[in-house]
Amino acid sequence: MAPADSGLFDRLEQFYDALPRPWARVEEIGSLDLFVREGEGWPYYARPRLGSHTPSAADIIETRRRQRDLGVPEAFEWVHECSPDLLAVARSAGLDVLLAPLLVLDPAALVPDLPIRDARIRYLDPASPAFAADLRAARAVARLGFGAPAYRAPLEVVENTLVIDGAGPAERDAFEELTPEAVQATRVMLESGDYVTAVAESPAEGILATATSQRVGQVAEVVGVATLPSARNRGYASQLTATLTGRLLARGVDLVLLSAGDDDVARLYTRVGFRRVGTACVAQPAAVPL
Ligand SMILES: CC(C)(COP(=O)(O)OP(=O)(O)OC[C@H]1O[C@@H](n2cnc3c(N)ncnc32)[C@H](O)[C@@H]1OP(=O)(O)O)[C@@H](O)C(=O)NCCC(=O)NCCS
């Protein structure tokens, strides 16, 4: 690893270690830190403790037992370049590991804001009376988007017109209301200023795509980028990523990272101005447990 990259990976490790701490308690199990969210919100994961040795299979098995007891997902995340031996250990402890391209922004390569088709980009405002409704729509878009992970939704021809098949605004609007506790938990995170959610919204169809940035100091990650299957390939995800990234740079962030679900999605981010630097490992129990 070149010296410049080892500095970069140190910053990434510090970031991943710091990110959950304001919102979670930490349980130390062997060389793993299990982050357990306090209160409402998406659950966290376990990761190798900063500066510790490679966790053992026994550490992973014990952590999985603890995660089951707590009723949280048996989820593990780490950067392959920082813990290169953990991949084999994790697999031997019964985990399936997604190897996700890890990218960082080349600030000079960030694409400018471009007009997008039939929509505008706006930020969710935690003080707005419409916040709960906006958040419900954005969450539904993310659920439907990640539920249809194919990079391109299947295309079909209807009455001589090529249309994208897949869930759209009707499916989004069928989602349940969020509980007041869930809305409030997200409101608090957005009010902290470290979390920002942007959406692409069409006057006719409402919220069609969403993305969030999460920041610690001068480092931030873009996560949860998703477009309704019916609204794909209109540039929404690319522009949301570019807009959130530009906003972060304008506010003093100097390292923006993200991990892509696969190489196709990574290509989208490369066009926005990111470059691949490594691999993020995202692990969960294999379909057939040991
Ligand atoms: C990945 C995902 C977010 C992309 O969303 P999207 O809004 O369709 O993305 P974009 O429209 O910006 O880019 C998709 C493609 O359309 C192209 N495109 C962009 N603007 C376009 C336009 N105006 N007209 C036609 N095509 C356009 C892009 O160049 C890109 O082309 P490529 O396939 O050759 O790379 C979406 O498929 C999704 O929600 N997937 C499931 C969740 C997921 O994997 N999220 C990413 C997690 S890291």
Side-chain angles (χ1 to χ4, degrees), residues 72-160:
V72 299
E74 294 173 56
F76 296 78
E77 296 192 8
W78 68 94
V79 175
H80 178 64
E81 286 69 17
C82 300
S83 308
D85 299 328
L86 186 51
L87 180 59
V89 176
R91 287 178 171 152
S92 76
L95 297 177
D96 262 348
V97 185
L98 170 73
L99 301 175
L102 174 64
L103 298 96
V104 300
L105 179 73
D106 173 0
L110 178 62
V111 296
D113 284 354
L114 299 169
I116 52 170
R117 238 174 69 194
D118 306 328
R120 71 180 180 113
I121 288 184
R122 70 177 170 92
Y123 299 105
L124 294 197
D125 175 3
S128 158
F131 178 64
D134 286 347
L135 184 64
R136 190 195 63 81
R139 287 273 171 86
V141 165
R143 290 271 297 280
L144 292 165
F146 280 95
Y151 179 63
R152 280 186 190 287
L155 294 173
E156 60 175 352
V157 177
V158 176
E159 293 174 358
N160 292 327

Side-chain angles (χ1 to χ4, degrees), residues 117 145-146 148-152 225-227 231-238 259-261 265 267-269 271:
R117 238 174 69 194
F146 280 95
Y151 179 63
R152 280 186 190 287
V225 182
T227 301
R232 288 188 181 166
N233 303 315
R234 300 184 198 167
Y236 295 162
S238 310
S259 50
V265 178
R267 194 179 61 231
L268 180 159
Y269 294 128
R271 294 212 180 112

Side-chain angles (χ1 to χ4, degrees), residues 14-101:
Q14 302 275 356
F15 170 80
Y16 285 124
D17 177 69
L19 183 70
R21 288 182 185 269
W23 317 99
R25 69 170 192 273
V26 186
E27 296 192 9
E28 298 191 354
I29 302 176
S31 296
L32 287 165
D33 280 344
L34 170 59
F35 293 99
V36 183
R37 182 179 284 274
E38 305 277 25
E40 286 280 330
W42 63 88
Y44 285 117
Y45 40 76
R47 66 182 316 280
R49 180 157 327 110
L50 199 59
S52 190
H53 337 270
T54 303
S56 65
D59 294 342
I60 293 177
I61 289 165
E62 196 185 332
T63 302
R64 290 182 57 185
R65 190 177 304 123
R66 180 66 183 142
Q67 288 168 320
R68 285 196 296 276
D69 287 349
L70 289 165
V72 299
E74 294 173 56
F76 296 78
E77 296 192 8
W78 68 94
V79 175
H80 178 64
E81 286 69 17
C82 300
S83 308
D85 299 328
L86 186 51
L87 180 59
V89 176
R91 287 178 171 152
S92 76
L95 297 177
D96 262 348
V97 185
L98 170 73
L99 301 175

